Amino acid sequence: MHKPLPAPLKRGDILMIAAVACTAIILRAIPGLRIIDDAYITYRYAWNILRGLGFVYNLGEPVLGTTTPLYTLMLAAVGWPGAGLTGQAALPEVSVTLNTLADGLGAALLFLIAYRLSGERVLALACGLLWAFSPQSITFAIGGMETSVAIALMLGAFYAWLVDRPVLAALIAGLATLTRPDSLIWAGLLAPGMIVTRWRATAGRPFLSRLPLAEAGSYLLIVTPWVVCATLFFGSPLPHSIAAKSVAYHLEPTQGLVAMLQNFSAPFFEDVAFGPTGVIAGALVYPILAALGGLTLFHRDRRSLPLVLYPWLYALAFTIANPLIFRWYNTPPLPFYFLCIVAGLW
C-alpha cells in the first residue's frame, strides 16, 4: 500500500533542506580535525596510490588492510591536485571535507525521505536536524573515517528507491557496499523489496521479465570489478584485517549484544549526560517509539520496510557475528533509527 504523495516541495521547504545541510556542515567544521587512528591506514593506501606504488600499505606486499576500497580511491582522486604541494599531510583535510559534505547531503536526504514517507514537514525537519547534531556522526566525520560517506550512499539508495528509480538505487547500493562491507546488510534488505515490487508490477509477463535483472546487473556492475581485481591481487576481496581481528580479540559471547543494546539506548550519549538512569530510560523508551514509528511508516508506505528493519537487522548481525565493536560500528543504523523514533513520537 502506498500513501498519497506529499505536497510538492515549496520554496520554504528548499530553504529548510538547505538550512539542515548547512547546520550539519557547520557543526563538523567547528571542532576541526580529530583524526581516529584507523583512518591513517586508509590514508597510507591512498598516499601510495598517489605515489604510483599501487593499492598497497607496504611496497611489494599485496595485503588488503583497509575495509573501504571506494573511500580510499576517493581520497586518492580528490587529493591528487594537492599531493605535489602538501603530500600525505593533505589527506586528513581531504577526508574530513568529504565527510562534512557527505553528512550535509545525508541530513538533506533524511529530510526528503521523512517528508516523502510522512508528508509532515516538522517531522522531516526534526529528523534532518537530529542527524546534523548527532554526536556519533560528528565524531567520525571529523575523525576521518568513511562512515559519513557510507551512510549518505545508503540514504541516497533508499531515496532513489522511494522515488521509483530502482536501477539508480542498485547502483548507489553497490557504491555503499564498496565503502563499507556492512552495507551488504542494507543491500540485502533492498533486494527483496525490488524483487517483490517488480514481480507485482509485471503480473502475466514471462518469468524472466518479472525479475529485477536490470537492478541486479547494475549492482554487480559496481561490485564485480572490485571483487575480481581484489581476488587476483590480494587473494580475496575480504580485508585481511577481518581475519586478524577475529584471531586477536577473544570476546564474551554476549559482548556484541550488550554493545548494540547500549548503542540503541544512548544514541546521544545519554550515559554521559544522565548516567545509568539515562541508559535505562533510553532502553525503555527509544525501542518502543522506534517500533511504533516503524509500524506507522510501513502502514503508510510498504516501501519503507527496508528502512524500518535495517536498525534491528544490523544489530542482530553484529550480535551473531560478535566482533569487537569499535565505536564507528555503532553509527550506520542511527539515521534510520532516528526517523523511526521521531515517527513514533509524532
Side-chain angles (χ1 to χ4, degrees), residues 1 14 48 142 148 173 230 252 280 289 292 300 333 342:
M1 180 182 70
I14 303 298
N48 281 337
I142 64 176
S148 298
E252 295 295 326
I280 294 171
L289 287 174
L292 290 173
R300 290 175 64 85
V342 173

Side-chain angles (χ1 to χ4, degrees), residues 268-275:
F268 278 87
F269 297 162
E270 288 82 350
D271 54 326
V272 177
F274 305 107

Side-chain angles (χ1 to χ4, degrees), residues 230-289:
T231 301
L232 293 175
F233 187 66
F234 300 111
S236 171
L238 297 177
H240 293 86
S241 55
I242 294 177
K245 289 176 181 177
S246 67
V247 174
Y249 303 115
H250 301 280
L251 310 173
E252 295 295 326
T254 59
Q255 187 159 334
L257 173 62
V258 171
M260 287 293 114
L261 288 174
Q262 291 173 336
N263 184 41
F264 280 49
S265 301
F268 278 87
F269 297 162
E270 288 82 350
D271 54 326
V272 177
F274 305 107
T277 303
V279 178
I280 294 171
L284 294 173
V285 174
Y286 290 149
I288 293 174
L289 287 174

